[in-house]
Amino acid sequence: MSPVKNQKSKGRKPALIIILALIFLLPLAFSQEEYDYNIESYSIYFDIINDNTVKETIEISLTANTNFSRYVFYSDYPIENPDAIVKINGEMKVVNVSVSKIVGGINAVYVKFPIVHPGDRVEIRISFYSSGMLQNVQNKKQFAYYIKFSQPVGVFYVRLFVPKGYAILSPVIPSPDMVESSENRLVLEWKRENIKAGEEFYFIVGFSGEIKGFSPLWLVVIFVSAFAGGFFAGMLYKERRGKEKVEILRSDEEKIIELLKNGPVLQSELVKRLGVSKAKVSLLLKDMEKKGLIERVKEGRSYLVKLKES
């Protein structure tokens, strides 16, 4: 009898190992499929043209996890003369660029391109002119930019090009990782790695006066002012965060907004229309509530979801 019992117990061990492996691997597989693509790098370049206009260029390098054929960028600022370049697996593709206003006065830049498939490498470059990033604060100009990522990013890179004719003043938040100067302009650079979903950044740079060139002294001023302006920047962040934010939304969030334009929809119905899991829809809606894009009202066992009135 005992040999038979031993054989049964040995047979159960491999099955138990397989079950345990599935328990640990399934959540990992789900998390990898949560996003339509993985963002390896996200770079933003701000070129100050004059007291009112900034040219913004965004470069994104990503790998597709599913089939998709467009990328959407959102901004609270007016967008003019948008242009885009897209490379798929290193090959330049024809793209269509359009701009429209959605709920809350947010501007959406739609970049449409040939469909990409899982594993494809995609490089997107979007550029446009915008106004409103430079504000008059206490008799000086101030550049302010807020961004929040809704999915992980490998490398986040920001460059601000300040033209001849501006003096850098406090605050400069956060302290730049690199500063370069020339006869014609000053360049401030920030770099962050391994960005997590939900992580947010706020950049503030003060300007004043009319000067003909940059002195090396300004490089010292920049780093000193980065520390001196910390408290002021924190207060400004709280007061103006809602006005000056740029959200990077996933394509599923854009689909939800489109569905809600026709009126409120039950959360359970959104699950069916999007074709994704209940858990994923719940997470998406919670994040969109925090962004002030939607409202949810309890109705029976589900929620009634609607666009938030501006």
Side-chain angles (χ1 to χ4, degrees):
M1 295 294 291
S2 59
V4 176
K5 289 182 180 179
N6 288 338
Q7 288 175 6
K8 286 184 178 180
S9 63
K10 288 180 181 178
R12 288 172 182 165
K13 286 183 179 179
L16 181 60
I17 292 172
I18 293 172
I19 292 171
L20 290 173
L22 288 173
I23 291 173
F24 285 104
L25 291 176
L26 281 176
L28 179 61
F30 176 78
S31 63
Q32 290 176 339
E33 295 176 357
E34 184 178 355
Y35 306 106
D36 291 342
Y37 41 77
N38 296 328
I39 302 178
E40 283 83 35
S41 64
Y42 193 101
S43 304
I44 311 177
Y45 305 90
F46 299 102
D47 196 346
I48 298 176
I49 306 301
N50 53 46
D51 286 349
N52 299 309
T53 306
V54 174
K55 182 180 180 182
E56 184 174 348
T57 301
I58 302 150
E59 294 182 351
I60 308 136
S61 178
L62 54 87
T63 301
N65 292 326
T66 185
N67 297 334
F68 66 94
S69 59
R70 75 171 181 176
Y71 183 87
V72 187
F73 173 81
Y74 298 87
S75 174
D76 283 342
Y77 301 105
I79 292 175
E80 296 181 359
N81 302 322
D83 191 19
I85 296 173
V86 174
K87 287 184 179 180
I88 301 175
N89 296 323
E91 184 179 344
M92 194 83 71
K93 299 295 182 180
V94 176
V95 299
N96 177 268
V97 184
S98 60
V99 179
S100 65
K101 278 197 173 184
I102 59 175
V103 60
I106 297 174
N107 294 284
V109 180
Y110 298 89
V111 182
K112 297 182 180 179
F113 41 83
I115 190 168
V116 298
H117 307 282
D120 284 348
R121 296 294 303 275
V122 184
E123 297 173 61
I124 303 172
R125 186 177 188 270
I126 307 169
S127 62
F128 53 86
Y129 293 87
S130 187
S131 58
M133 292 183 192
L134 295 176
Q135 302 287 333
N136 289 310
V137 180
Q138 298 179 350
N139 298 320
K140 64 182 177 183
K141 285 287 182 181
Q142 185 166 274
F143 170 86
Y145 188 83
Y146 169 81
I147 185 169
K148 178 180 178 181
F149 290 97
S150 60
Q151 73 175 78
V153 174
V155 179
F156 175 43
Y157 181 80
V158 176
R159 265 197 167 196
L160 175 64
F161 298 93
V162 183
K164 178 180 178 180
Y166 291 92
I168 304 297
L169 298 178
S170 175
V172 180
I173 304 296
S175 179
D177 297 305
M178 187 188 75
V179 178
E180 294 180 347
S181 64
S182 67
E183 293 183 0
N184 297 320
R185 64 181 181 178
L186 185 69
V187 182
L188 285 72
E189 179 180 303
W190 296 266
K191 182 180 179 182
R192 300 292 183 268
E193 297 181 349
N194 301 319
I195 309 303
K196 298 178 181 178
E199 201 164 348
E200 53 192 4
F201 300 89
Y202 201 65
F203 300 90
I204 305 173
V205 179
F207 306 94
S208 183
E210 287 290 329
I211 57 176
K212 295 183 178 180
F214 292 108
S215 165
L217 179 61
W218 289 115
L219 302 183
V220 178
V221 172
I222 288 172
F223 288 102
V224 173
S225 63
F227 295 97
F231 177 76
F232 174 78
M235 296 299 294
L236 182 68
Y237 172 81
K238 292 178 181 178
E239 292 176 3
R240 301 172 62 188
R241 173 178 167 182
K243 296 180 181 179
E244 299 180 344
K245 64 182 179 179
V246 175
E247 303 285 0
I248 310 302
L249 279 71
R250 297 195 294 272
S251 58
D252 285 333
E253 292 176 324
E254 170 61 17
K255 292 175 186 175
I256 290 173
I257 290 175
E258 292 293 334
L259 289 171
L260 296 179
K261 283 182 178 179
N262 297 321
V265 179
L266 286 173
Q267 183 169 323
S268 56
E269 183 63 23
L270 287 175
V271 173
K272 296 177 183 178
R273 295 192 188 184
L274 292 172
V276 296
S277 68
K278 293 180 180 179
K280 183 175 180 180
V281 171
S282 179
L283 289 172
L284 284 168
L285 294 178
K286 286 180 181 178
D287 193 40
M288 292 177 74
E289 272 189 306
K290 291 179 182 178
K291 294 172 182 175
L293 297 174
I294 64 164
E295 293 178 326
R296 292 194 298 170
V297 180
K298 187 71 174 178
E299 186 164 307
R301 293 185 177 181
S302 187
Y303 285 92
L304 187 65
V305 186
K306 60 181 180 179
L307 293 175
K308 190 169 184 178
E309 296 180 2
S310 56

